[in-house]
């Protein structure tokens, strides 16, 4: 049988002393972590396993926009129902607001709320309040990346790095797919 090298490990952030943050209230980042799809898949598997071993929810709720992606993957791995809640910031620096609340399906169920990252916890706290209004049996929180002071019940990885996720690294600008402009700017800053 021919030798095949092992798959590469998680991407390593570049060595840099530059710091930056695009999220209000977030501590300055120590570098950048560009997450690819295989690494993201491993994080979701690890997160799902942690959740299952300690909680085993009946329902997974993803926080839109970015939290629905890890939420849906975790729900699929756990073979549980999935729903979403939409929370947004109208402008940078403003507190988040619920724009589409959770489904009544949460009533009397064990629920886990999933987001991609968690800095100050403002978004997660708002999602928790909205879900609790519907009287679940219990509710816990989970994120792919814990990046700030707020500590969710479950997280796959803790990091002080600025995180670039595979689903929003490239966006459409003027009809062309390009590296998201704010990410491109931060990557240039780190290269200097």
């Amino acid at each position: 049988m021919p030798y095949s090298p092992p798959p590469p490990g998680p991407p390593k952030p570049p060595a840099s002393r530059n710091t930056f943050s695009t999220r209000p209230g977030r501590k300055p980042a120590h570098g950048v972590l560009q997450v690819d799809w295989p690494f993201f898949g491993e994080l979701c598997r690890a997160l799902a396993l942690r959740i299952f071993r300690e909680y085993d929810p009946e329902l997974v709720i993803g926080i839109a926009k970015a939290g629905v992606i890890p939420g849906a993957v975790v729900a699929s791995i756990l073979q549980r129902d999935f729903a979403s809640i939409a929370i947004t910031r109208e402008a940078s620096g403003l507190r988040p607001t619920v724009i589409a609340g959770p489904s009544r399906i949460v009533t009397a169920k064990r629920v886990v709320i999933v987001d991609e990252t968690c800095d100050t916890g403002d978004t997660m706290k708002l999602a928790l309040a909205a879900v609790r209004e519907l009287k679940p049996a219990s509710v816990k929180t989970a994120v792919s990346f814990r990046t700030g002071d707020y500590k969710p019940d479950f997280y796959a990885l803790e990091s002080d790095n600025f995180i670039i996720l595979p689903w929003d690294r490239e966006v459409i600008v003027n009809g062309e797919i390009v590296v998201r402009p704010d990410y491109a700017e931060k990557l240039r800053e780190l290269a200097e």
Side-chain angles (χ1 to χ4, degrees), residues 14-65:
S16 172
R17 294 196 181 269
N18 294 352
T19 61
F20 60 86
S21 174
T22 61
R23 297 182 192 121
R26 181 175 179 183
K27 292 185 265 186
H30 293 288
V32 64
L33 174 59
Q34 294 191 61
V35 178
D36 62 12
W37 285 108
F39 182 44
F40 168 71
E42 291 303 317
L43 287 171
C44 287
R45 282 186 277 284
L47 185 59
L49 190 57
R50 284 183 183 157
I51 293 167
F52 177 77
R53 286 181 173 162
E54 295 181 35
Y55 184 57
D56 192 19
E58 297 170 278
L59 177 68
V60 178
I61 296 180
I63 299 176
K65 296 186 286 201

Side-chain angles (χ1 to χ4, degrees), residues 29-158:
H30 293 288
V32 64
L33 174 59
Q34 294 191 61
V35 178
D36 62 12
W37 285 108
F39 182 44
F40 168 71
E42 291 303 317
L43 287 171
C44 287
R45 282 186 277 284
L47 185 59
L49 190 57
R50 284 183 183 157
I51 293 167
F52 177 77
R53 286 181 173 162
E54 295 181 35
Y55 184 57
D56 192 19
E58 297 170 278
L59 177 68
V60 178
I61 296 180
I63 299 176
K65 296 186 286 201
V68 298
I69 297 164
V73 173
V74 166
S76 182
I77 292 168
L78 293 173
Q79 299 181 62
R80 300 296 185 256
D81 288 334
F82 175 78
S84 65
I85 179 173
I87 296 177
T88 190
R89 294 182 197 274
E90 294 290 322
S92 181
L94 294 181
R95 294 192 59 81
T97 57
V98 175
I99 56 174
S103 165
R104 292 220 168 265
I105 192 172
V106 306
T107 303
K109 299 257 174 90
R110 286 184 317 277
V111 176
V112 65
I113 302 170
V114 179
D115 208 355
E116 86 286 14
T117 63
C118 189
D119 298 322
T120 63
D122 289 347
T123 301
M124 191 63 80
K125 290 173 193 172
L126 190 58
L128 272 167
V131 168
R132 285 180 176 147
E133 284 181 15
L134 297 174
K135 310 274 190 254
S138 62
V139 61
K140 301 265 184 181
T141 58
V143 296
S144 299
F145 299 95
R146 179 181 176 209
T147 56
D149 292 331
Y150 184 82
K151 186 173 181 185
D153 296 300
F154 306 100
Y155 55 93
L157 186 66
E158 189 167 7

Side-chain angles (χ1 to χ4, degrees), residues 139-180:
V139 61
K140 301 265 184 181
T141 58
V143 296
S144 299
F145 299 95
R146 179 181 176 209
T147 56
D149 292 331
Y150 184 82
K151 186 173 181 185
D153 296 300
F154 306 100
Y155 55 93
L157 186 66
E158 189 167 7
S159 179
D160 289 333
N161 292 311
F162 181 79
I163 298 166
I164 297 177
L165 299 163
W167 56 85
D168 69 353
R169 183 181 187 280
E170 296 179 325
V171 296
I172 297 176
V173 175
N174 297 324
E176 298 291 325
I177 294 180
V178 299
V179 172
R180 196 168 127 174

